[in-house]
Amino acid sequence: MYETLKILHFIGLALGLGTSFAMFTLTLATKDLEGPERAKFMMRASALSKNGSFGLLLLILSGLGIAFYRGFANVMSWGGGAFHAKLTLVVVLCGLVGVMQATMKKARKTGDPKLMARLPLLGRLGMLTSVMIVVLAVVAFK
Ligand code: HEM
Protein backbone atom coordinates (compact mmCIF):
# COMPACT_ATOMS: atom_id res chain seq x y z
CA MET A 1 0.00 0.00 0.00
CA TYR A 2 2.72 2.48 1.02
CA GLU A 3 4.82 1.72 -2.07
CA THR A 4 1.76 2.15 -4.31
CA LEU A 5 1.04 5.56 -2.74
CA LYS A 6 4.65 6.64 -3.20
CA ILE A 7 4.64 5.48 -6.86
CA LEU A 8 1.43 7.51 -7.40
CA HIS A 9 3.11 10.49 -5.70
CA PHE A 10 5.96 10.35 -8.21
CA ILE A 11 3.64 9.85 -11.21
CA GLY A 12 1.74 12.95 -10.01
CA LEU A 13 5.04 14.79 -9.78
CA ALA A 14 6.01 13.79 -13.34
CA LEU A 15 2.60 14.91 -14.66
CA GLY A 16 2.47 18.17 -12.71
CA LEU A 17 6.03 19.42 -12.95
CA GLY A 18 6.34 18.00 -16.49
CA THR A 19 3.44 20.19 -17.62
CA SER A 20 5.02 23.34 -16.13
CA PHE A 21 8.32 22.72 -17.95
CA ALA A 22 6.52 21.83 -21.21
CA MET A 23 4.42 25.02 -21.17
CA PHE A 24 7.54 27.07 -20.35
CA THR A 25 9.42 25.61 -23.35
CA LEU A 26 6.39 26.18 -25.65
CA THR A 27 6.18 29.82 -24.52
CA LEU A 28 9.85 30.34 -25.44
CA ALA A 29 9.52 28.41 -28.71
CA THR A 30 6.59 30.58 -29.92
CA LYS A 31 8.15 33.96 -29.08
CA ASP A 32 8.76 34.72 -32.77
CA LEU A 33 5.14 34.03 -33.83
CA GLU A 34 2.75 36.92 -34.62
CA GLY A 35 0.29 37.78 -31.80
CA PRO A 36 -2.91 36.10 -33.14
CA GLU A 37 -1.04 33.03 -34.43
CA ARG A 38 0.78 32.64 -31.12
CA ALA A 39 -2.42 33.08 -29.11
CA LYS A 40 -4.15 30.42 -31.26
CA PHE A 41 -1.23 28.00 -30.79
CA MET A 42 -0.96 28.58 -27.01
CA MET A 43 -4.71 28.18 -26.55
CA ARG A 44 -4.49 24.80 -28.28
CA ALA A 45 -1.40 23.85 -26.26
CA SER A 46 -3.19 24.80 -23.05
CA ALA A 47 -4.91 21.41 -23.28
CA LEU A 48 -1.71 20.27 -21.50
CA SER A 49 -2.99 22.00 -18.36
CA LYS A 50 -5.34 19.02 -17.85
CA ASN A 51 -2.23 16.91 -17.17
CA GLY A 52 -1.06 19.53 -14.69
CA SER A 53 -4.33 19.59 -12.76
CA PHE A 54 -4.57 15.80 -12.72
CA GLY A 55 -0.94 15.59 -11.55
CA LEU A 56 -1.59 18.01 -8.68
CA LEU A 57 -4.73 16.10 -7.66
CA LEU A 58 -2.77 12.83 -7.68
CA LEU A 59 0.01 14.44 -5.57
CA ILE A 60 -2.46 15.71 -2.98
CA LEU A 61 -4.44 12.45 -2.72
CA SER A 62 -1.34 10.20 -2.62
CA GLY A 63 0.48 12.61 -0.25
CA LEU A 64 -2.46 12.61 2.17
CA GLY A 65 -2.63 8.82 1.74
CA ILE A 66 1.03 8.45 2.75
CA ALA A 67 0.60 10.87 5.66
CA PHE A 68 -2.39 8.98 7.04
CA TYR A 69 -0.73 5.59 6.39
CA ARG A 70 2.36 6.61 8.35
CA GLY A 71 0.36 8.58 10.92
CA PHE A 72 -0.12 12.33 10.38
CA ALA A 73 1.56 13.27 13.68
CA ASN A 74 4.59 11.07 12.85
CA VAL A 75 4.95 12.63 9.40
CA MET A 76 4.55 16.17 10.77
CA SER A 77 7.31 15.60 13.34
CA TRP A 78 9.50 13.65 10.85
CA GLY A 79 9.14 16.35 8.18
CA GLY A 80 9.45 19.24 10.64
CA GLY A 81 9.52 22.86 9.46
CA ALA A 82 10.40 21.92 5.87
CA PHE A 83 7.22 19.80 5.60
CA HIS A 84 5.11 22.65 7.04
CA ALA A 85 6.63 25.01 4.47
CA LYS A 86 5.99 22.39 1.76
CA LEU A 87 2.29 22.12 2.64
CA THR A 88 2.00 25.92 2.70
CA LEU A 89 3.44 26.08 -0.83
CA VAL A 90 1.05 23.29 -1.93
CA VAL A 91 -1.84 25.58 -0.89
CA VAL A 92 -0.23 28.45 -2.84
CA LEU A 93 0.19 26.15 -5.87
CA CYS A 94 -3.49 25.14 -5.71
CA GLY A 95 -4.43 28.83 -5.72
CA LEU A 96 -2.15 29.54 -8.69
CA VAL A 97 -3.55 26.59 -10.68
CA GLY A 98 -7.09 27.81 -9.91
CA VAL A 99 -6.30 31.36 -11.11
CA MET A 100 -4.59 29.97 -14.22
CA GLN A 101 -7.60 27.82 -15.12
CA ALA A 102 -10.06 30.68 -14.57
CA THR A 103 -7.90 33.02 -16.68
CA MET A 104 -7.55 30.43 -19.44
CA LYS A 105 -11.32 29.80 -19.51
CA LYS A 106 -12.09 33.53 -19.69
CA ALA A 107 -9.35 34.11 -22.31
CA ARG A 108 -10.77 31.28 -24.45
CA LYS A 109 -14.29 32.80 -24.16
CA THR A 110 -13.40 36.45 -24.74
CA GLY A 111 -10.16 36.16 -26.75
CA ASP A 112 -8.89 39.08 -24.63
CA PRO A 113 -5.13 39.48 -25.40
CA LYS A 114 -4.52 41.03 -21.94
CA LEU A 115 -5.78 37.84 -20.27
CA MET A 116 -3.69 35.66 -22.58
CA ALA A 117 -0.61 37.77 -21.81
CA ARG A 118 -1.04 36.93 -18.08
CA LEU A 119 -0.77 33.15 -18.64
CA PRO A 120 3.03 32.84 -19.18
CA LEU A 121 3.73 34.71 -15.91
CA LEU A 122 1.23 32.55 -13.97
CA GLY A 123 2.84 29.47 -15.56
CA ARG A 124 6.34 30.51 -14.44
CA LEU A 125 5.10 31.22 -10.89
CA GLY A 126 3.53 27.74 -10.84
CA MET A 127 6.74 26.14 -12.09
CA LEU A 128 8.87 27.98 -9.51
CA THR A 129 6.51 27.04 -6.69
CA SER A 130 6.53 23.37 -7.75
CA VAL A 131 10.34 23.26 -7.84
CA MET A 132 10.47 24.82 -4.35
CA ILE A 133 8.00 22.15 -3.10
CA VAL A 134 10.27 19.38 -4.45
CA VAL A 135 13.31 20.92 -2.73
CA LEU A 136 11.38 21.18 0.56
CA ALA A 137 10.09 17.59 0.23
CA VAL A 138 13.63 16.20 -0.17
CA VAL A 139 14.91 18.35 2.75
CA ALA A 140 11.92 17.28 4.90
CA PHE A 141 12.21 13.54 4.33
CA LYS A 142 16.02 13.03 4.06
C1 HEM B 1 -1.28 17.72 0.38
C2 HEM B 1 -0.25 17.57 -0.37
C3 HEM B 1 0.95 16.66 -0.08
C4 HEM B 1 1.23 15.85 0.98
C5 HEM B 1 0.37 15.60 2.22
C6 HEM B 1 2.53 15.23 0.73
C7 HEM B 1 3.15 14.31 1.59
C8 HEM B 1 4.35 13.69 1.34
C9 HEM B 1 4.96 12.71 2.23
C10 HEM B 1 4.36 12.22 3.54
C11 HEM B 1 6.13 12.33 1.67
C12 HEM B 1 7.18 11.33 2.24
C13 HEM B 1 7.03 10.05 1.58
C14 HEM B 1 7.91 9.02 2.24
O1 HEM B 1 9.09 8.96 1.97
O2 HEM B 1 7.39 8.27 3.05
C15 HEM B 1 6.27 13.06 0.43
C16 HEM B 1 7.35 12.94 -0.42
C17 HEM B 1 7.50 13.76 -1.52
N1 HEM B 1 6.62 14.71 -2.00
FE1 HEM B 1 4.81 15.16 -1.27
N2 HEM B 1 3.02 15.67 -0.47
C18 HEM B 1 2.10 16.54 -1.00
C19 HEM B 1 2.20 17.24 -2.17
C20 HEM B 1 3.33 17.25 -2.94
C21 HEM B 1 3.51 18.09 -4.10
C22 HEM B 1 2.47 19.07 -4.65
C23 HEM B 1 4.78 17.84 -4.60
C24 HEM B 1 5.49 18.42 -5.80
C25 HEM B 1 5.17 19.50 -6.46
C26 HEM B 1 5.37 16.82 -3.73
C27 HEM B 1 6.64 16.31 -3.89
C28 HEM B 1 7.19 15.31 -3.11
C29 HEM B 1 8.51 14.70 -3.35
C30 HEM B 1 9.49 15.06 -4.47
C31 HEM B 1 8.69 13.72 -2.35
C32 HEM B 1 9.90 12.77 -2.17
C33 HEM B 1 10.85 13.30 -1.15
C34 HEM B 1 11.94 12.24 -0.87
O3 HEM B 1 11.67 11.05 -0.88
O4 HEM B 1 13.06 12.67 -0.61
N3 HEM B 1 4.47 16.48 -2.75
N4 HEM B 1 5.16 13.89 0.25
Side-chain angles (χ1 to χ4, degrees), residues 2 6 9-10 13 17 55-56 59-67 70 72 75 78 83 86-87 90 93 129-131 133-135 137-139 141-142:
Y2 166 69
K6 196 144 186 197
H9 211 56
F10 284 115
L13 185 66
L17 204 50
L56 182 57
L59 275 162
I60 293 171
L61 294 179
S62 61
L64 291 173
I66 297 171
R70 281 181 168 268
F72 222 93
V75 171
W78 174 34
F83 188 51
K86 175 188 171 187
L87 293 183
V90 171
L93 183 61
T129 310
S130 303
V131 170
I133 294 173
V134 171
V135 172
V138 173
V139 170
F141 301 116
K142 63 180 180 304

mmCIF file of all heavy atoms in Angstrom, residues 2 6 9-10 13 17 55-56 59-67 70 72 75 78 83 86-87 90 93 129-131 133-135 137-139 141-142, ligand 1:
data_model
loop_
_atom_site.group_PDB
_atom_site.id
_atom_site.type_symbol
_atom_site.label_atom_id
_atom_site.label_comp_id
_atom_site.label_asym_id
_atom_site.label_seq_id
_atom_site.Cartn_x
_atom_site.Cartn_y
_atom_site.Cartn_z
ATOM 1 N N TYR A 2 1.855 1.298 0.909
ATOM 2 C CA TYR A 2 2.721 2.478 1.016
ATOM 3 C C TYR A 2 3.493 2.700 -0.279
ATOM 4 O O TYR A 2 3.556 3.817 -0.806
ATOM 5 C CB TYR A 2 3.674 2.317 2.205
ATOM 6 C CG TYR A 2 4.815 3.285 2.203
ATOM 7 C CD1 TYR A 2 4.586 4.639 2.434
ATOM 8 C CD2 TYR A 2 6.108 2.877 1.918
ATOM 9 C CE1 TYR A 2 5.617 5.544 2.392
ATOM 10 C CE2 TYR A 2 7.146 3.769 1.876
ATOM 11 C CZ TYR A 2 6.896 5.110 2.113
ATOM 12 O OH TYR A 2 7.919 5.999 2.046
ATOM 13 N N LYS A 6 3.444 5.883 -2.844
ATOM 14 C CA LYS A 6 4.654 6.641 -3.203
ATOM 15 C C LYS A 6 4.841 6.652 -4.722
ATOM 16 O O LYS A 6 5.210 7.683 -5.295
ATOM 17 C CB LYS A 6 5.878 6.039 -2.511
ATOM 18 C CG LYS A 6 7.049 7.015 -2.547
ATOM 19 C CD LYS A 6 7.905 6.985 -1.332
ATOM 20 C CE LYS A 6 8.934 8.099 -1.441
ATOM 21 N NZ LYS A 6 10.061 7.915 -0.523
ATOM 22 N N HIS A 9 2.593 9.155 -6.020
ATOM 23 C CA HIS A 9 3.106 10.493 -5.701
ATOM 24 C C HIS A 9 4.102 10.934 -6.767
ATOM 25 O O HIS A 9 4.074 12.062 -7.234
ATOM 26 C CB HIS A 9 3.764 10.466 -4.314
ATOM 27 C CG HIS A 9 3.672 11.758 -3.574
ATOM 28 N ND1 HIS A 9 2.480 12.384 -3.306
ATOM 29 C CD2 HIS A 9 4.634 12.565 -3.047
ATOM 30 C CE1 HIS A 9 2.705 13.502 -2.625
ATOM 31 N NE2 HIS A 9 4.002 13.648 -2.464
ATOM 32 N N PHE A 10 4.964 10.001 -7.190
ATOM 33 C CA PHE A 10 5.965 10.352 -8.206
ATOM 34 C C PHE A 10 5.353 10.467 -9.609
ATOM 35 O O PHE A 10 5.810 11.289 -10.408
ATOM 36 C CB PHE A 10 7.124 9.358 -8.184
ATOM 37 C CG PHE A 10 8.046 9.595 -7.008
ATOM 38 C CD1 PHE A 10 8.189 8.656 -6.009
ATOM 39 C CD2 PHE A 10 8.737 10.796 -6.894
ATOM 40 C CE1 PHE A 10 9.014 8.892 -4.906
ATOM 41 C CE2 PHE A 10 9.566 11.046 -5.795
ATOM 42 C CZ PHE A 10 9.693 10.088 -4.802
ATOM 43 N N LEU A 13 3.944 13.828 -9.640
ATOM 44 C CA LEU A 13 5.042 14.794 -9.778
ATOM 45 C C LEU A 13 5.461 14.929 -11.240
ATOM 46 O O LEU A 13 5.605 16.035 -11.762
ATOM 47 C CB LEU A 13 6.227 14.326 -8.923
ATOM 48 C CG LEU A 13 7.421 15.244 -8.824
ATOM 49 C CD1 LEU A 13 7.062 16.522 -8.093
ATOM 50 C CD2 LEU A 13 8.571 14.535 -8.111
ATOM 51 N N LEU A 17 4.829 18.619 -12.656
ATOM 52 C CA LEU A 17 6.028 19.418 -12.953
ATOM 53 C C LEU A 17 6.364 19.352 -14.442
ATOM 54 O O LEU A 17 6.798 20.340 -15.040
ATOM 55 C CB LEU A 17 7.194 18.888 -12.101
ATOM 56 C CG LEU A 17 8.335 19.846 -11.799
ATOM 57 C CD1 LEU A 17 7.843 21.168 -11.271
ATOM 58 C CD2 LEU A 17 9.302 19.207 -10.827
ATOM 59 N N GLY A 55 -2.161 15.874 -12.301
ATOM 60 C CA GLY A 55 -0.943 15.589 -11.549
ATOM 61 C C GLY A 55 -1.014 16.144 -10.129
ATOM 62 O O GLY A 55 -0.666 15.461 -9.167
ATOM 63 N N LEU A 56 -1.494 17.389 -10.006
ATOM 64 C CA LEU A 56 -1.591 18.015 -8.680
ATOM 65 C C LEU A 56 -2.596 17.258 -7.808
ATOM 66 O O LEU A 56 -2.329 17.004 -6.624
ATOM 67 C CB LEU A 56 -1.995 19.488 -8.827
ATOM 68 C CG LEU A 56 -2.095 20.294 -7.546
ATOM 69 C CD1 LEU A 56 -0.789 20.289 -6.764
ATOM 70 C CD2 LEU A 56 -2.525 21.733 -7.838
ATOM 71 N N LEU A 59 -0.983 14.129 -6.617
ATOM 72 C CA LEU A 59 0.005 14.439 -5.566
ATOM 73 C C LEU A 59 -0.679 14.652 -4.221
ATOM 74 O O LEU A 59 -0.239 14.128 -3.199
ATOM 75 C CB LEU A 59 0.800 15.694 -5.954
ATOM 76 C CG LEU A 59 1.990 15.470 -6.862
ATOM 77 C CD1 LEU A 59 2.425 16.773 -7.516
ATOM 78 C CD2 LEU A 59 3.146 14.851 -6.109
ATOM 79 N N ILE A 60 -1.769 15.417 -4.250
ATOM 80 C CA ILE A 60 -2.457 15.715 -2.985
ATOM 81 C C ILE A 60 -3.074 14.445 -2.392
ATOM 82 O O ILE A 60 -2.881 14.147 -1.211
ATOM 83 C CB ILE A 60 -3.518 16.808 -3.208
ATOM 84 C CG1 ILE A 60 -2.826 18.134 -3.556
ATOM 85 C CG2 ILE A 60 -4.418 16.963 -1.983
ATOM 86 C CD1 ILE A 60 -3.734 19.229 -4.013
ATOM 87 N N LEU A 61 -3.777 13.660 -3.237
ATOM 88 C CA LEU A 61 -4.438 12.448 -2.718
ATOM 89 C C LEU A 61 -3.402 11.423 -2.236
ATOM 90 O O LEU A 61 -3.536 10.873 -1.143
ATOM 91 C CB LEU A 61 -5.335 11.842 -3.803
ATOM 92 C CG LEU A 61 -6.545 12.693 -4.216
ATOM 93 C CD1 LEU A 61 -7.336 11.988 -5.329
ATOM 94 C CD2 LEU A 61 -7.437 12.993 -3.031
ATOM 95 N N SER A 62 -2.348 11.197 -3.023
ATOM 96 C CA SER A 62 -1.339 10.204 -2.618
ATOM 97 C C SER A 62 -0.531 10.718 -1.423
ATOM 98 O O SER A 62 -0.188 9.945 -0.524
ATOM 99 C CB SER A 62 -0.406 9.888 -3.793
ATOM 100 O OG SER A 62 0.282 11.046 -4.218
ATOM 101 N N GLY A 63 -0.255 12.048 -1.378
ATOM 102 C CA GLY A 63 0.476 12.615 -0.251
ATOM 103 C C GLY A 63 -0.307 12.473 1.044
ATOM 104 O O GLY A 63 0.232 12.050 2.070
ATOM 105 N N LEU A 64 -1.617 12.790 0.979
ATOM 106 C CA LEU A 64 -2.459 12.615 2.170
ATOM 107 C C LEU A 64 -2.542 11.138 2.534
ATOM 108 O O LEU A 64 -2.526 10.773 3.713
ATOM 109 C CB LEU A 64 -3.845 13.205 1.916
ATOM 110 C CG LEU A 64 -3.898 14.737 1.811
ATOM 111 C CD1 LEU A 64 -5.279 15.207 1.401
ATOM 112 C CD2 LEU A 64 -3.470 15.381 3.128
ATOM 113 N N GLY A 65 -2.595 10.271 1.502
ATOM 114 C CA GLY A 65 -2.633 8.823 1.745
ATOM 115 C C GLY A 65 -1.400 8.366 2.511
ATOM 116 O O GLY A 65 -1.505 7.642 3.508
ATOM 117 N N ILE A 66 -0.222 8.825 2.063
ATOM 118 C CA ILE A 66 1.033 8.454 2.746
ATOM 119 C C ILE A 66 1.010 8.977 4.183
ATOM 120 O O ILE A 66 1.351 8.261 5.132
ATOM 121 C CB ILE A 66 2.265 9.023 2.012
ATOM 122 C CG1 ILE A 66 2.392 8.454 0.609
ATOM 123 C CG2 ILE A 66 3.540 8.752 2.806
ATOM 124 C CD1 ILE A 66 3.466 9.151 -0.232
ATOM 125 N N ALA A 67 0.581 10.250 4.323
ATOM 126 C CA ALA A 67 0.596 10.870 5.659
ATOM 127 C C ALA A 67 -0.312 10.109 6.623
ATOM 128 O O ALA A 67 0.059 9.864 7.773
ATOM 129 C CB ALA A 67 0.166 12.327 5.529
ATOM 130 N N ARG A 70 1.237 6.578 7.400
ATOM 131 C CA ARG A 70 2.364 6.615 8.349
ATOM 132 C C ARG A 70 1.977 7.219 9.696
ATOM 133 O O ARG A 70 2.737 7.118 10.638
ATOM 134 C CB ARG A 70 3.489 7.467 7.757
ATOM 135 C CG ARG A 70 4.343 6.779 6.715
ATOM 136 C CD ARG A 70 5.421 7.735 6.254
ATOM 137 N NE ARG A 70 6.452 7.066 5.475
ATOM 138 C CZ ARG A 70 7.584 6.555 5.987
ATOM 139 N NH1 ARG A 70 7.750 6.585 7.289
ATOM 140 N NH2 ARG A 70 8.472 5.997 5.202
ATOM 141 N N PHE A 72 -0.337 10.918 10.698
ATOM 142 C CA PHE A 72 -0.117 12.326 10.379
ATOM 143 C C PHE A 72 0.859 12.979 11.350
ATOM 144 O O PHE A 72 1.778 13.695 10.948
ATOM 145 C CB PHE A 72 -1.452 13.086 10.380
ATOM 146 C CG PHE A 72 -1.549 14.043 9.237
ATOM 147 C CD1 PHE A 72 -2.136 13.666 8.035
ATOM 148 C CD2 PHE A 72 -1.002 15.309 9.342
ATOM 149 C CE1 PHE A 72 -2.183 14.531 6.957
ATOM 150 C CE2 PHE A 72 -1.050 16.187 8.271
ATOM 151 C CZ PHE A 72 -1.636 15.795 7.075
ATOM 152 N N VAL A 75 4.424 11.968 10.610
ATOM 153 C CA VAL A 75 4.947 12.628 9.400
ATOM 154 C C VAL A 75 5.232 14.105 9.678
ATOM 155 O O VAL A 75 6.251 14.632 9.246
ATOM 156 C CB VAL A 75 3.948 12.468 8.226
ATOM 157 C CG1 VAL A 75 4.369 13.330 7.046
ATOM 158 C CG2 VAL A 75 3.862 11.013 7.794
ATOM 159 N N TRP A 78 8.373 14.096 11.700
ATOM 160 C CA TRP A 78 9.499 13.645 10.846
ATOM 161 C C TRP A 78 9.889 14.730 9.849
ATOM 162 O O TRP A 78 11.054 15.060 9.685
ATOM 163 C CB TRP A 78 9.062 12.369 10.112
ATOM 164 C CG TRP A 78 10.016 11.836 9.087
ATOM 165 C CD1 TRP A 78 11.393 11.860 9.098
ATOM 166 C CD2 TRP A 78 9.649 11.162 7.863
ATOM 167 N NE1 TRP A 78 11.887 11.266 7.969
ATOM 168 C CE2 TRP A 78 10.849 10.806 7.205
ATOM 169 C CE3 TRP A 78 8.427 10.796 7.285
ATOM 170 C CZ2 TRP A 78 10.848 10.133 5.983
ATOM 171 C CZ3 TRP A 78 8.430 10.116 6.076
ATOM 172 C CH2 TRP A 78 9.626 9.804 5.429
ATOM 173 N N PHE A 83 8.493 20.381 6.048
ATOM 174 C CA PHE A 83 7.221 19.804 5.596
ATOM 175 C C PHE A 83 6.091 20.812 5.765
ATOM 176 O O PHE A 83 5.208 20.938 4.907
ATOM 177 C CB PHE A 83 6.911 18.519 6.361
ATOM 178 C CG PHE A 83 5.719 17.773 5.831
ATOM 179 C CD1 PHE A 83 5.606 17.465 4.485
ATOM 180 C CD2 PHE A 83 4.691 17.371 6.683
ATOM 181 C CE1 PHE A 83 4.508 16.783 3.992
ATOM 182 C CE2 PHE A 83 3.593 16.683 6.206
ATOM 183 C CZ PHE A 83 3.496 16.393 4.856
ATOM 184 N N LYS A 86 6.423 23.077 2.990
ATOM 185 C CA LYS A 86 5.987 22.387 1.760
ATOM 186 C C LYS A 86 4.467 22.449 1.616
ATOM 187 O O LYS A 86 3.946 22.811 0.565
ATOM 188 C CB LYS A 86 6.449 20.927 1.792
ATOM 189 C CG LYS A 86 5.944 20.109 0.627
ATOM 190 C CD LYS A 86 6.250 18.625 0.781
ATOM 191 C CE LYS A 86 5.523 17.866 -0.298
ATOM 192 N NZ LYS A 86 5.609 16.425 -0.167
ATOM 193 N N LEU A 87 3.760 22.107 2.707
ATOM 194 C CA LEU A 87 2.292 22.115 2.639
ATOM 195 C C LEU A 87 1.741 23.520 2.387
ATOM 196 O O LEU A 87 0.761 23.695 1.661
ATOM 197 C CB LEU A 87 1.701 21.520 3.923
ATOM 198 C CG LEU A 87 1.958 20.023 4.143
ATOM 199 C CD1 LEU A 87 1.271 19.540 5.412
ATOM 200 C CD2 LEU A 87 1.495 19.209 2.938
ATOM 201 N N VAL A 90 2.054 24.082 -1.190
ATOM 202 C CA VAL A 90 1.051 23.289 -1.928
ATOM 203 C C VAL A 90 -0.264 24.072 -1.996
ATOM 204 O O VAL A 90 -0.915 24.119 -3.044
ATOM 205 C CB VAL A 90 0.837 21.907 -1.272
ATOM 206 C CG1 VAL A 90 -0.345 21.186 -1.912
ATOM 207 C CG2 VAL A 90 2.081 21.044 -1.391
ATOM 208 N N LEU A 93 0.224 26.734 -4.525
ATOM 209 C CA LEU A 93 0.192 26.147 -5.873
ATOM 210 C C LEU A 93 -1.254 25.877 -6.311
ATOM 211 O O LEU A 93 -1.618 26.155 -7.457
ATOM 212 C CB LEU A 93 1.002 24.849 -5.892
ATOM 213 C CG LEU A 93 1.143 24.149 -7.232
ATOM 214 C CD1 LEU A 93 1.854 25.029 -8.252
ATOM 215 C CD2 LEU A 93 1.883 22.820 -7.073
ATOM 216 N N THR A 129 7.080 27.551 -7.937
ATOM 217 C CA THR A 129 6.510 27.040 -6.686
ATOM 218 C C THR A 129 6.653 25.523 -6.611
ATOM 219 O O THR A 129 7.018 24.981 -5.574
ATOM 220 C CB THR A 129 5.007 27.432 -6.607
ATOM 221 O OG1 THR A 129 4.882 28.822 -6.874
ATOM 222 C CG2 THR A 129 4.419 27.116 -5.256
ATOM 223 N N SER A 130 6.415 24.840 -7.733
ATOM 224 C CA SER A 130 6.527 23.366 -7.751
ATOM 225 C C SER A 130 7.956 22.923 -7.472
ATOM 226 O O SER A 130 8.179 21.979 -6.716
ATOM 227 C CB SER A 130 6.095 22.818 -9.118
ATOM 228 O OG SER A 130 4.800 23.223 -9.422
ATOM 229 N N VAL A 131 8.925 23.625 -8.081
ATOM 230 C CA VAL A 131 10.341 23.263 -7.845
ATOM 231 C C VAL A 131 10.691 23.462 -6.373
ATOM 232 O O VAL A 131 11.349 22.614 -5.764
ATOM 233 C CB VAL A 131 11.275 24.090 -8.760
ATOM 234 C CG1 VAL A 131 12.733 23.927 -8.363
ATOM 235 C CG2 VAL A 131 11.079 23.694 -10.220
ATOM 236 N N ILE A 133 8.652 23.228 -3.866
ATOM 237 C CA ILE A 133 8.000 22.151 -3.098
ATOM 238 C C ILE A 133 8.861 20.887 -3.143
ATOM 239 O O ILE A 133 9.051 20.213 -2.130
ATOM 240 C CB ILE A 133 6.588 21.864 -3.644
ATOM 241 C CG1 ILE A 133 5.666 23.054 -3.417
ATOM 242 C CG2 ILE A 133 5.989 20.617 -3.000
ATOM 243 C CD1 ILE A 133 4.300 22.928 -4.083
ATOM 244 N N VAL A 134 9.413 20.573 -4.325
ATOM 245 C CA VAL A 134 10.266 19.379 -4.445
ATOM 246 C C VAL A 134 11.496 19.506 -3.552
ATOM 247 O O VAL A 134 11.844 18.569 -2.826
ATOM 248 C CB VAL A 134 10.691 19.160 -5.920
ATOM 249 C CG1 VAL A 134 11.734 18.062 -6.031
ATOM 250 C CG2 VAL A 134 9.483 18.838 -6.779
ATOM 251 N N VAL A 135 12.121 20.696 -3.576
ATOM 252 C CA VAL A 135 13.310 20.918 -2.730
ATOM 253 C C VAL A 135 12.945 20.708 -1.257
ATOM 254 O O VAL A 135 13.620 19.987 -0.528
ATOM 255 C CB VAL A 135 13.877 22.340 -2.953
ATOM 256 C CG1 VAL A 135 14.982 22.658 -1.952
ATOM 257 C CG2 VAL A 135 14.383 22.498 -4.385
ATOM 258 N N ALA A 137 10.447 18.995 -0.029
ATOM 259 C CA ALA A 137 10.088 17.593 0.229
ATOM 260 C C ALA A 137 11.342 16.760 0.482
ATOM 261 O O ALA A 137 11.388 15.959 1.417
ATOM 262 C CB ALA A 137 9.311 17.035 -0.952
ATOM 263 N N VAL A 138 12.377 16.964 -0.332
ATOM 264 C CA VAL A 138 13.627 16.195 -0.168
ATOM 265 C C VAL A 138 14.312 16.568 1.144
ATOM 266 O O VAL A 138 14.781 15.705 1.883
ATOM 267 C CB VAL A 138 14.553 16.407 -1.382
ATOM 268 C CG1 VAL A 138 15.912 15.763 -1.148
ATOM 269 C CG2 VAL A 138 13.905 15.847 -2.636
ATOM 270 N N VAL A 139 14.308 17.888 1.472
ATOM 271 C CA VAL A 139 14.908 18.346 2.745
ATOM 272 C C VAL A 139 14.124 17.762 3.926
ATOM 273 O O VAL A 139 14.696 17.288 4.900
ATOM 274 C CB VAL A 139 14.915 19.893 2.813
ATOM 275 C CG1 VAL A 139 15.302 20.378 4.206
ATOM 276 C CG2 VAL A 139 15.860 20.468 1.768
ATOM 277 N N PHE A 141 12.228 14.990 4.133
ATOM 278 C CA PHE A 141 12.212 13.537 4.327
ATOM 279 C C PHE A 141 13.571 12.885 4.081
ATOM 280 O O PHE A 141 13.654 11.733 3.640
ATOM 281 C CB PHE A 141 11.129 12.929 3.436
ATOM 282 C CG PHE A 141 9.769 13.484 3.740
ATOM 283 C CD1 PHE A 141 9.072 14.227 2.801
ATOM 284 C CD2 PHE A 141 9.202 13.322 4.988
ATOM 285 C CE1 PHE A 141 7.833 14.767 3.092
ATOM 286 C CE2 PHE A 141 7.967 13.865 5.291
ATOM 287 C CZ PHE A 141 7.286 14.591 4.344
ATOM 288 N N LYS A 142 14.698 13.636 4.306
ATOM 289 C CA LYS A 142 16.020 13.031 4.063
ATOM 290 C C LYS A 142 16.368 12.004 5.142
ATOM 291 O O LYS A 142 15.816 12.085 6.234
ATOM 292 C CB LYS A 142 17.083 14.117 3.954
ATOM 293 C CG LYS A 142 17.289 14.936 5.215
ATOM 294 C CD LYS A 142 18.394 15.979 4.949
ATOM 295 C CE LYS A 142 18.659 16.834 6.162
ATOM 296 N NZ LYS A 142 17.497 17.554 6.713
HETATM 297 C C1 HEM B 1 -1.281 17.725 0.384
HETATM 298 C C2 HEM B 1 -0.251 17.569 -0.371
HETATM 299 C C3 HEM B 1 0.950 16.663 -0.083
HETATM 300 C C4 HEM B 1 1.227 15.853 0.984
HETATM 301 C C5 HEM B 1 0.370 15.602 2.223
HETATM 302 C C6 HEM B 1 2.532 15.226 0.727
HETATM 303 C C7 HEM B 1 3.146 14.314 1.587
HETATM 304 C C8 HEM B 1 4.348 13.692 1.344
HETATM 305 C C9 HEM B 1 4.960 12.708 2.231
HETATM 306 C C10 HEM B 1 4.360 12.217 3.539
HETATM 307 C C11 HEM B 1 6.131 12.327 1.667
HETATM 308 C C12 HEM B 1 7.177 11.330 2.245
HETATM 309 C C13 HEM B 1 7.027 10.045 1.583
HETATM 310 C C14 HEM B 1 7.910 9.016 2.242
HETATM 311 O O1 HEM B 1 9.092 8.958 1.970
HETATM 312 O O2 HEM B 1 7.391 8.272 3.050
HETATM 313 C C15 HEM B 1 6.268 13.060 0.428
HETATM 314 C C16 HEM B 1 7.347 12.943 -0.423
HETATM 315 C C17 HEM B 1 7.500 13.758 -1.523
HETATM 316 N N1 HEM B 1 6.617 14.714 -1.995
HETATM 317 FE FE1 HEM B 1 4.806 15.158 -1.268
HETATM 318 N N2 HEM B 1 3.020 15.667 -0.469
HETATM 319 C C18 HEM B 1 2.095 16.545 -0.997
HETATM 320 C C19 HEM B 1 2.195 17.240 -2.175
HETATM 321 C C20 HEM B 1 3.331 17.247 -2.944
HETATM 322 C C21 HEM B 1 3.514 18.092 -4.105
HETATM 323 C C22 HEM B 1 2.468 19.068 -4.648
HETATM 324 C C23 HEM B 1 4.776 17.836 -4.597
HETATM 325 C C24 HEM B 1 5.487 18.419 -5.800
HETATM 326 C C25 HEM B 1 5.168 19.498 -6.462
HETATM 327 C C26 HEM B 1 5.367 16.820 -3.728
HETATM 328 C C27 HEM B 1 6.640 16.306 -3.895
HETATM 329 C C28 HEM B 1 7.189 15.308 -3.114
HETATM 330 C C29 HEM B 1 8.510 14.699 -3.349
HETATM 331 C C30 HEM B 1 9.488 15.064 -4.472
HETATM 332 C C31 HEM B 1 8.694 13.716 -2.349
HETATM 333 C C32 HEM B 1 9.903 12.768 -2.173
HETATM 334 C C33 HEM B 1 10.849 13.295 -1.149
HETATM 335 C C34 HEM B 1 11.945 12.243 -0.868
HETATM 336 O O3 HEM B 1 11.672 11.055 -0.879
HETATM 337 O O4 HEM B 1 13.060 12.675 -0.613
HETATM 338 N N3 HEM B 1 4.468 16.480 -2.752
HETATM 339 N N4 HEM B 1 5.159 13.892 0.248
#
